[in-house]
Amino acid sequence: MGAQKTESQKRIDALGKALGKMKSSTTEASHCCDQLTKRARQLDSLTSPASDASSMLSKASNNLGSTLVLMKDAREKFDTVRDCEPAIERLHRGVLDVQSEKSGNRKARNPFQDDTKGKIVLSEQDIYAAADSMEIIRDAFEYFIDRTHWRSTATALASLERVHQMGVSSMCVLASLHLVDAGQAVRLKRVVKQEGETHVTPSNETAQQTRERLSKALQNRDLLRSIGEFEEYQPVEARLVRELRGIFECLSGNGFQLHPLPKKESPGLAHIFGLPANRVVRTEKVGAGGFSNLIQRPLKSGFPHVDAYGEARKTTAFSSIDAYHRRVRAERKRNAERNRNDLVDEADAAARDAVRCLEHAMIVVAGEKNVYRTIVTPSLTKIADEDAVNDEISPFYRKACAAAYSHVVACVVDKTMDIIETMFLKEGGIGHASGSKGENQSFTVQSAASSASGGLRILDGVRMLGPSLAKLCDMPIGDGTAEKPSLASTLCIAIHRTTVKNCARTLENLAKAIQEDPLKGTAQRAKDARVAPLTCDVVRAVRMVSPYVSAYKSVSKRRQLPWDPNMGEDAGELESFIRFLIMRLLNSLKGKSLTYTKHAGDLGQARSNMFMMNNAFYLRDELGPPIAALAGHDDDQYRIESSWFVDKINKLYESEKSKYLGHWEVLNTHLTSVEHDELEYQKNEKILSLDSGRLIKNRFSGFNEDFERLWEDHKDLCVVDPRLRNTLQKEVAGVFLPLYSKFYDKYSQIRFSKKHQDEYTKFSPYKIEQMLDELYIDAE
């Protein structure tokens, strides 16, 4: 037991020794760790400054690299003027060279060869090179704008602006030269005549044919192919189109300047848009080549290349319509000289030429619209380009382009308006009645009718072509705002307003001329009571204005007329005007007929009745409803079938005929019978006694004297128509001849005179019939 405890004690002692040893080892290890920590701290304090220095050196290296890049970029920007100026300078010199040639300061040169004397022949690549250089200049300008604190920035900006402005000016001048050199945007049509087709020219085309031609063209939507003698076409060559598109692409948007886009539109656009039509009045002299000074203002859209396009094409478009007008005017003059012996209706010829000019104006405007769409429209399309400085299209630029197009075509519309109103003022004669000095000047019914017909012809053309012309003149801006009408569109409206006003004056002048009848008024009358020239002139006037029903309605709806104060839908039709003319004519004829009554005796009244009867018959025959039994009348002639005309003229005719036949009733007063108990014979019972014979003698002698007098007075009266002559001869015979035949048959068998029986009975019924057949003369 003691031995066992000793063994356990030994193990415990051994374990205690081991634990003590482990404690000492742990203490020693902790001491070593503390020493290592102290050494690590010492090492870390030695390596940290080196790391900071390395980091600073790395940052300094990066800053130096960035500085080198900035210096290189700045050097490139500072060299922009030196690099880009040669291309722009070459363009500038080439443009100056072309200008010198066109001004005649240099001899002509071959455009495909460079000479050795410094002349420059610009190529398409030169344009593109200059455009690229200006793009680079714009980039450099923006670069320096962001670095205004640099000392040399001001000098660099000034140099960039100088070179850029030289490029803009050169491109604008070159674009203007190209657009002017391209010439007119119209050319003569190639017309192939079909076999058997009637050749209709502007000089012989009727109003109905013109209306049908234009109506058919409007329905088929090929109006431009059916009007005028010219057709639209693209005058700019393919190479020039590419050059011009390059110029507009370069200068579009804000490319024409280096500064930011303006926040307000150019003040020069104010007179292009929003001008009311009633503000358009004539400011230029007649024959000066224009109607209003509105188109004479220079275009200032705020975009120089757009202004260059507008001014260049305006010159070309005006020369196109002006040259055509001069051509048709010279043609009219030649025709007048060629047909000097024929009566030429100058007003009608001038009106036809005015309508031709209106048709040509539409072709010119269509051609200019084609040029606009080819050259300008592509610059209005936004193209996504990552290299572009600014691919946004300014709304002011869109409006400026639309204003430039209006500026171009407005001169065409203005010239057309001047041509139309010149016809009214000169050939139409309204100039005589419009001014204070000419207010009392008179003109014939024929000239007034020609003027009214010509005015209605022009208005008919304006009415049908005006909407299409206004549509051609319209160019949408497309900026999303409410668009006001352009100057060209306003002038189109003014053409219609002016034509309606002038046409109304021609109609008023016609009515006034009929009332006054200046050349053959009430004091001028033919002794033979023939149809008054005024009646023939009025019939001609009615037929001349009758085809223009719709044109007249355009006048009456918009103007108060002396015979029709209503306007709008309540306005009267053409027949109301014709009725007014007929009534004016009848009043004038009644005044003329009164001058016949100044003649002593019944002859003056007979002539008055014959005069009114002739004119009434002529009016009924020429303007009344056609009579199926009569042949030889043109069914296409205008006829008045209304009851007011038929009843009025028939009543007048029958009344005057009754009054005229009443002059022959005096013969019946001598044809009274002698009572049988009043007849006493002499002793041989074959010859009446002196007193009884005197009763029959007085009757025969009275009849003979009155018949001879009436026949002598009436035989030289003029009758307008053979039908009327036959009718009057029969009705005159019917007044007294039946009674005279009975009287003659009864008393010619009685011997009432010993020596002069044959003298009393010299007018047998058969002889009277023969004499009545010779009564009246035909109209020459």
Side-chain angles (χ1 to χ4, degrees):
M1 192 70 177
Q4 289 180 349
K5 289 182 180 179
T6 304
E7 186 65 29
S8 298
Q9 186 65 38
K10 287 180 180 182
R11 288 181 179 179
I12 293 171
D13 292 340
L15 182 59
K17 289 179 181 180
L19 290 174
K21 191 175 182 178
M22 285 179 64
K23 183 177 179 181
S24 63
S25 298
T26 300
T27 302
E28 185 178 357
S30 298
H31 181 71
C32 290
C33 285
D34 292 339
Q35 289 181 349
L36 287 174
T37 300
K38 290 179 180 181
R39 290 179 181 179
R41 288 176 179 174
Q42 290 177 355
L43 182 60
D44 185 60
S45 64
L46 293 174
T47 57
S48 293
S51 297
D52 293 340
S54 177
S55 177
M56 292 177 65
L57 288 174
S58 178
K59 290 181 179 179
S61 177
N62 291 336
N63 290 336
L64 182 60
S66 299
T67 302
L68 291 175
V69 172
L70 290 174
M71 291 180 65
K72 182 180 178 181
D73 194 15
R75 181 60 181 269
E76 290 179 355
K77 299 302 181 183
F78 276 112
D79 291 341
T80 299
V81 173
R82 185 189 65 183
D83 297 338
C84 297
E85 188 171 11
I88 297 177
E89 177 66 25
R90 177 175 174 80
L91 175 65
H92 179 66
R93 291 176 56 196
V95 170
L96 291 178
D97 194 24
V98 174
Q99 282 184 309
S100 298
E101 286 186 358
K102 291 186 177 299
S103 62
N105 295 334
R106 286 190 177 184
K107 297 181 180 179
R109 60 177 174 82
N110 188 344
F112 301 101
Q113 295 180 359
D114 282 322
D115 55 23
T116 59
K117 297 182 180 180
K119 295 181 181 179
I120 296 177
V121 181
L122 292 176
S123 65
E124 188 176 345
Q125 297 303 321
D126 292 329
I127 309 298
Y128 297 149
D132 292 340
S133 298
M134 294 180 66
E135 183 86 17
I136 296 172
I137 289 175
R138 284 194 292 270
D139 293 340
F141 189 85
E142 291 188 359
Y143 177 85
F144 285 111
I145 284 294
D146 296 334
R147 293 162 178 81
T148 54
H149 58 279
W150 288 1
R151 188 179 302 173
S152 57
T153 295
T155 304
L157 291 176
S159 300
L160 290 173
E161 287 184 351
R162 176 183 59 82
V163 178
H164 184 270
Q165 185 58 42
M166 180 171 61
V168 172
S169 301
S170 301
M171 285 187 173
C172 291
V173 173
L174 183 62
S176 179
L177 293 174
H178 283 347
L179 291 170
V180 171
D181 291 343
Q184 301 177 5
V186 296
R187 64 183 177 186
L188 278 171
K189 288 182 180 178
R190 297 178 180 178
V191 181
V192 179
K193 186 177 180 181
Q194 305 281 342
E195 279 190 34
E197 182 181 0
T198 305
H199 182 56
V200 179
T201 63
S203 60
N204 60 20
E205 188 178 41
T206 64
Q208 184 64 26
Q209 290 173 331
T210 303
R211 197 176 299 110
E212 291 176 355
R213 172 172 62 86
L214 297 180
S215 299
K216 184 178 180 181
L218 290 171
Q219 292 174 0
N220 298 334
R221 297 185 178 181
D222 60 349
L223 180 63
L224 295 178
R225 296 183 181 180
S226 304
I227 63 174
E229 306 154 46
F230 288 72
E231 62 182 0
E232 60 167 314
Y233 91 111
Q234 176 54 261
V236 187
E237 298 177 357
R239 171 192 162 184
L240 299 183
V241 168
R242 293 193 297 270
E243 292 184 6
L244 289 169
R245 284 182 176 178
I247 292 174
F248 271 78
E249 182 180 353
C250 175
L251 301 180
S252 64
N254 199 35
F256 70 97
Q257 64 180 359
L258 298 176
H259 298 284
L261 285 169
K263 296 182 179 180
K264 295 182 180 180
E265 67 179 35
S266 172
L269 299 179
H271 83 281
I272 299 292
F273 296 100
L275 181 71
N278 56 9
R279 292 278 302 277
V280 179
V281 295
R282 173 174 282 280
T283 59
E284 305 302 305
K285 294 182 179 180
V286 178
F291 182 86
S292 173
N293 58 7
L294 294 173
I295 66 164
Q296 296 178 3
R297 301 177 182 178
L299 178 62
K300 295 181 180 180
S301 64
F303 298 86
H305 61 295
V306 176
D307 295 345
Y309 154 79
E311 295 297 342
R313 292 311 302 176
K314 174 187 174 182
T315 302
T316 304
F318 180 82
S319 64
S320 179
I321 185 67
D322 185 61
Y324 182 80
H325 178 231
R326 293 177 184 273
R327 171 189 167 190
V328 297
R329 190 170 57 184
E331 181 182 340
R332 184 170 79 239
K333 185 177 180 181
R334 288 195 300 270
N335 291 337
E337 293 177 353
R338 189 183 303 115
N339 304 320
R340 187 175 301 174
N341 296 330
D342 299 334
L343 294 177
V344 179
D345 193 339
E346 295 184 359
D348 180 70
R352 291 174 182 271
D353 290 347
V355 176
R356 290 172 65 186
C357 290
L358 177 62
E359 295 182 8
H360 187 74
M362 294 190 63
I363 304 298
V364 174
V365 172
E368 292 303 325
K369 197 164 194 175
N370 190 6
V371 174
Y372 176 88
R373 288 174 173 172
T374 304
I375 305 301
V376 182
T377 300
S379 67
L380 296 172
T381 304
K382 179 180 177 181
I383 302 176
D385 187 357
E386 60 182 6
D387 296 330
V389 176
N390 183 15
D391 59 353
E392 295 291 338
I393 302 298
S394 169
F396 302 143
Y397 180 69
R398 295 182 182 276
K399 192 170 185 179
C401 292
Y405 175 75
S406 176
H407 184 72
V408 172
V409 299
C411 72
V412 179
V413 182
D414 180 83
K415 176 63 178 178
T416 306
M417 191 186 307
D418 176 66
I419 294 171
I420 291 175
E421 187 164 79
T422 299
M423 175 269 161
F424 282 104
L425 294 175
K426 289 188 175 180
E427 289 83 3
I430 67 171
H432 296 307
S434 61
S436 59
K437 294 182 179 179
E439 190 69 27
N440 296 324
Q441 293 185 11
S442 301
F443 43 92
T444 65
V445 176
Q446 291 184 355
S447 61
S450 299
S451 300
S453 173
L456 291 171
R457 176 183 289 275
I458 294 176
L459 182 57
D460 211 26
V462 171
R463 181 183 61 85
M464 300 189 71
L465 299 179
S468 298
L469 178 60
K471 188 175 180 180
L472 285 172
C473 291
D474 181 53
M475 183 60 64
I477 299 175
D479 58 355
T481 61
E483 300 181 7
K484 297 180 180 179
S486 64
L487 176 60
S489 300
T490 302
L491 289 176
C492 290
I493 299 175
I495 282 184
H496 189 271
R497 290 168 57 94
T498 305
T499 306
V500 167
K501 178 189 69 174
N502 292 331
C503 190
R505 293 176 65 181
T506 61
L507 297 176
E508 293 172 4
N509 287 345
L510 175 58
K512 184 178 180 181
I514 294 175
Q515 181 182 12
E516 295 179 352
D517 189 20
L519 294 185
K520 296 179 174 63
T522 56
Q524 302 293 331
R525 55 181 176 78
K527 294 182 178 180
D528 54 9
R530 64 180 61 224
V531 174
L534 175 62
T535 305
C536 301
D537 293 342
V538 171
V539 170
R540 173 180 174 270
V542 169
R543 288 177 175 170
M544 291 181 71
V545 302
S546 62
Y548 305 103
V549 178
S550 299
Y552 175 83
K553 188 66 176 180
S554 296
V555 177
S556 61
K557 288 175 65 176
R558 295 167 177 83
R559 304 283 295 185
Q560 286 186 336
L561 301 170
W563 56 91
D564 185 12
N566 297 324
M567 294 178 64
E569 297 301 326
D570 297 332
E573 301 292 340
L574 177 62
E575 188 172 346
S576 64
F577 175 61
I578 294 177
R579 179 176 183 175
F580 183 76
L581 298 183
I582 297 297
M583 294 305 176
R584 282 284 178 93
L585 170 64
L586 295 180
N587 290 336
S588 180
L589 292 177
K590 290 178 181 178
K592 289 177 171 57
S593 67
L594 293 177
T595 61
Y596 286 101
T597 59
K598 296 178 182 180
H599 189 278
D602 294 336
L603 178 59
Q605 188 62 47
R607 287 177 178 175
S608 174
N609 299 141
M610 179 63 75
F611 173 76
M612 293 300 295
M613 188 165 40
N614 272 328
N615 285 275
F617 183 90
Y618 181 80
L619 285 173
R620 186 179 65 179
D621 191 53
E622 294 294 325
L623 297 179
I627 301 175
L630 297 179
H633 285 271
D634 190 356
D635 294 337
D636 294 334
Q637 293 285 4
Y638 176 76
R639 296 284 177 176
I640 306 175
E641 299 185 2
S642 301
S643 59
W644 67 265
F645 177 81
V646 177
D647 295 343
K648 182 75 174 178
I649 299 302
N650 284 340
K651 182 178 180 180
L652 177 64
Y653 171 76
E654 294 297 336
S655 173
E656 296 298 331
K657 185 177 70 171
S658 176
K659 293 177 182 178
Y660 174 76
L661 295 177
H663 294 285
W664 295 87
E665 290 285 352
V666 67
L667 299 178
N668 290 329
T669 60
H670 304 290
L671 303 179
T672 57
S673 62
V674 181
E675 297 297 334
H676 183 71
D677 55 0
E678 295 181 0
L679 297 179
E680 296 181 0
Y681 290 88
Q682 295 183 3
K683 295 180 180 181
N684 54 14
E685 296 183 355
K686 291 183 179 181
I687 301 176
L688 291 177
S689 64
L690 182 62
D691 293 335
S692 297
R694 187 175 292 114
L695 295 176
I696 299 178
K697 288 179 185 179
N698 290 338
R699 286 168 170 75
F700 269 106
S701 62
F703 176 87
N704 293 344
E705 291 177 2
D706 286 342
F707 177 76
E708 287 179 339
R709 176 181 58 81
L710 288 172
W711 190 82
E712 287 293 334
D713 291 342
H714 290 230
K715 70 175 181 178
D716 291 331
L717 294 180
C718 177
V719 177
V720 65
D721 188 271
R723 292 169 292 157
L724 178 59
R725 178 183 179 183
N726 293 335
T727 299
L728 286 178
Q729 289 173 348
K730 292 179 180 178
E731 295 197 13
V732 167
V735 171
F736 68 92
L737 191 57
L739 184 60
Y740 178 73
S741 298
K742 294 180 181 180
F743 181 86
Y744 185 87
D745 292 340
K746 180 178 180 180
Y747 294 107
S748 63
Q749 304 299 326
I750 300 174
R751 292 289 304 277
F752 55 84
S753 176
K754 292 182 179 180
K755 300 180 180 179
H756 304 291
Q757 176 84 8
D758 293 338
E759 292 182 6
Y760 289 108
T761 59
K762 61 182 177 180
F763 291 118
S764 64
Y766 176 74
K767 186 175 181 179
I768 287 180
E769 287 182 356
Q770 289 181 328
M771 294 178 67
L772 291 179
D773 289 340
E774 298 177 0
L775 192 64
Y776 312 126
I777 60 175
D778 294 331
E780 297 177 357

